[in-house]
Amino acid sequence: MNKNIPHKIGFWSAAVAIALVFVYGLLQALTDMNFISGIKESLLIFWPPLLLAPIFLLIVVSLHYSVGRENKIWTLIALCIATIYCSQIVMLYIMQFAMPFEDMLQGNLGSYNGLFDRYDFLIAIDALTYFFISLSALFLAVALRGNRWIYQALLWIVILVPILIFSFFYPLFYFAGVIWIISFTMAMIEIAFFFRVSTKANLNIVL
């Protein structure tokens, strides 16, 4: 396999991930400021994280084919966890799109007798998706510990996830979500730079 293929896929995937995080942050800010309101309009905010899941999976796959043999065990573990994250978030947002939002907002939850009401249950699942993507980032950090900037950026994602999960249930910790988004963006920028440098290095070797 051409060594540049994983680097190119990884670079463009990281670039798309950065754009999706920016769009998500913008939509979240507009929603918080009530520039976006209503059920149908609010559904817009679901699209960036839904698209980000398979993109992140591509990034992990590309990293797996870009690290040395001794680190592939860590990227493979990260890939397995990222697959769980991707599957979970796709199912979550399909459920979000399909559920009767009007009934939910009005409190008409029918005869549902589970541990959570349907809305709290979806929030709990959403929190789990951040746990899995952060756990995947932890193993990527181990694999890429030789690159200080990527290593540190990925570790910040991991360190912030407990506070981020708390913010789903306690708005006092809401600021953690902003910091996590910034940390994730910085990690994607560093990973994009890593793939870019790797591609140029291989091109120079060929030339």
Side-chain angles (χ1 to χ4, degrees):
M1 182 177 64
N2 188 330
K3 291 183 178 180
N4 280 330
I5 293 177
H7 299 157
K8 289 179 179 179
I9 293 175
F11 171 78
W12 287 111
S13 296
V16 172
I18 294 167
L20 288 172
V21 172
F22 175 78
V23 171
Y24 174 78
L26 179 61
L27 290 173
Q28 184 66 66
L30 293 174
T31 301
D32 292 341
M33 291 185 291
N34 294 321
F35 286 108
I36 297 178
S37 59
I39 299 301
K40 292 182 179 179
E41 289 77 8
S42 297
L43 287 176
L44 288 172
I45 205 170
F46 292 159
W47 284 104
L50 178 60
L51 296 174
L52 180 62
I55 293 298
F56 181 76
L57 197 58
L58 283 177
I59 291 170
V60 180
V61 170
S62 300
L63 286 170
H64 178 67
Y65 282 100
S66 301
V67 300
R69 183 183 298 272
E70 69 279 5
N71 288 315
K72 286 189 182 297
I73 181 62
W74 306 117
T75 52
L76 185 58
I77 295 172
L79 178 59
C80 293
I81 298 170
T83 303
I84 297 173
Y85 154 73
C86 183
S87 302
Q88 188 179 47
I89 205 165
V90 168
M91 288 188 292
L92 170 68
Y93 284 106
I94 288 175
M95 288 172 62
Q96 293 271 34
F97 289 132
M99 288 185 69
F101 283 90
E102 293 293 347
D103 289 344
M104 187 186 300
L105 291 178
Q106 294 170 11
N108 300 326
L109 297 176
S111 58
Y112 183 78
N113 294 313
L115 179 62
F116 302 103
D117 66 41
R118 286 184 290 184
Y119 182 64
D120 288 341
F121 174 75
L122 293 179
I123 289 179
I125 296 299
D126 203 6
L128 273 177
T129 63
Y130 283 93
F131 168 78
F132 282 120
I133 192 175
S134 297
L135 187 59
S136 180
L138 174 61
F139 286 100
L140 287 180
V142 175
L144 296 165
R145 58 191 179 278
N147 187 310
R148 188 181 72 171
W149 297 108
I150 297 179
Y151 177 74
Q152 291 179 348
L154 290 171
L155 279 188
W156 273 111
I157 295 174
V158 178
I159 291 170
L160 287 169
V161 72
I163 307 175
L164 176 64
I165 291 175
F166 268 109
S167 72
F168 279 85
F169 305 96
Y170 303 99
L172 178 64
F173 295 94
Y174 184 74
F175 70 92
V178 177
I179 302 175
W180 191 93
I181 289 174
I182 294 173
S183 299
F184 185 84
T185 304
M186 292 304 300
M188 293 300 104
I189 291 173
E190 294 295 340
I191 288 173
F193 183 73
F194 165 79
F195 283 123
R196 195 62 163 177
V197 170
S198 298
T199 300
K200 288 183 177 180
N202 282 338
L203 285 175
N204 289 336
I205 291 173
V206 172
L207 292 174

